[in-house]
Amino acid sequence: MKVLVVEDNVELASCIGAALEHLGHHMVHASSVNDAIARIESGVIGAAMLDVDLDGEQSTAVAVVLSRGRIPYVVTTAHAPHSTPAAYGGHA
């Protein structure tokens, strides 16, 4: 399965990618909201992992696009779950 990993930290994205590859999946990496939306619209994404804060930009727009496409996702963040915006629909 292709898993979109929306993460601005390159080292962390690389670790996630290695874990996904080990599990038999393929990582598609995006480090910004625009990049992530373009990747969703240009290919088949089976699931996604979204970092909330992308260098000061929130990934809520990506969550909306994923939800519209009925693509499952999880929110990955260092922030407390109660501080995660409601736009993520309880995926944190």
Side-chain angles (χ1 to χ4, degrees):
M1 172 189 327
K2 286 186 180 180
V3 179
L4 175 65
V5 176
V6 184
E7 173 59 61
D8 58 336
N9 182 308
V10 177
E11 292 87 14
L12 182 54
S14 179
C15 290
I16 293 168
L20 288 170
E21 293 286 334
H22 179 75
L23 295 170
H25 302 292
H26 177 72
M27 178 181 77
V28 177
H29 179 236
S31 59
S32 71
V33 169
N34 288 338
D35 188 21
I37 292 172
R39 291 181 183 277
I40 294 165
E41 293 175 346
S42 70
V44 178
I45 299 294
M49 298 176 73
L50 304 180
D51 183 10
V52 171
D53 183 13
L54 302 170
D55 197 26
E57 177 182 36
Q58 290 208 343
S59 63
T60 51
V62 179
V64 169
V65 172
L66 290 166
S67 293
R68 285 184 187 151
R70 296 183 182 245
I71 300 169
Y73 67 92
V74 295
V75 176
T76 58
T77 183
H79 301 286
H82 69 273
S83 67
T84 302
Y88 292 101
H91 289 263

